[in-house]
Amino acid sequence: MITKVKDENAIALTFDDGPGRLTSAFLDCLEELDVGATFFWQTRYLHHKRPFKRALANGHSIGSHAHKHRDLTKRSFEEQFDSLQTSVSLFSTVMNHEATLVRPPYGQYNKETQRAVDQLGLRMIMWDVASFDWELKEDPEKITRLVVDNVKSGSIVLLHELPQTLVALPAIVHELRQKGYHFVVL
């Protein structure tokens, strides 16, 4: 399991729960900011009209967030394996892209999850800075403060494809750059 980036002064921005109606807007914003990111997508939302080709062409990475957003720890090993394997298969068939990264829904995992991840040859990516953007719908400035005030060299930041996050993203990037950080793709 990976919870830190090894490059000095590097930060990894990660976005969960897509692809969705705001994915293109996030890609526009990241392109304008000249920042690469890592997306963790639920494959139940994945189809040929989603902008996965653009995301990959722009240098972003896309990992699995399982097939459906369900707590894997409440499922048997077989159910966990099936959800992850379905996701990996859809990455291959829909995107013609090999899934190598995974983030379990809700960040919840157990020994069985790790076993399924290992058997599928995936790397589990977690985070050390949570933006709480899912709770702060009316306060993008607080999202910015939570991220900027808590990152350190090597941080992996948990964000989501939400309207308030899109509003906060330019300030997050600007302030982190002012502090001397650069951005990496996992």
Side-chain angles (χ1 to χ4, degrees), residues 133-138 140 143 162-169:
D133 55 355
W134 63 95
E135 292 180 358
L136 298 169
K137 294 178 178 144
E138 304 301 322
I143 295 167
L162 297 169
Q164 60 271 23
T165 311
L166 190 58
V167 171
L169 186 57

Side-chain angles (χ1 to χ4, degrees), residues 5-14 35-38 59 61 155-156 182-186:
V5 177
K6 293 183 180 175
D7 297 350
E8 190 165 333
N9 292 327
I11 304 294
L13 299 178
T14 65
V35 171
T38 302
S61 65
S155 283
I156 297 175
H182 65 277
F183 300 92
V184 295
V185 175
L186 301 173

Side-chain angles (χ1 to χ4, degrees), residues 5 20 25-26 28 45 57 73 85 95 104 113 130 139 153 162 168 182:
V5 177
F26 273 93
D28 291 344
Y45 297 135
T73 64
Q85 185 176 47
M95 294 175 35
T113 315
D139 201 348
S153 184
L162 297 169
H182 65 277

Side-chain angles (χ1 to χ4, degrees), residues 112-128:
E112 301 301 322
T113 315
Q114 188 63 60
R115 193 171 112 200
V117 165
D118 291 344
Q119 286 186 16
L120 290 165
L122 301 170
R123 289 185 305 147
M124 191 181 321
I125 307 292
M126 299 303 283
W127 63 89
D128 67 312

Side-chain angles (χ1 to χ4, degrees), residues 143-160:
I143 295 167
T144 301
R145 294 280 45 91
L146 278 169
V147 173
V148 172
D149 294 346
N150 289 291
V151 298
K152 51 192 170 284
S153 184
S155 283
I156 297 175
V157 181
L158 171 66
L159 300 157
H160 295 80

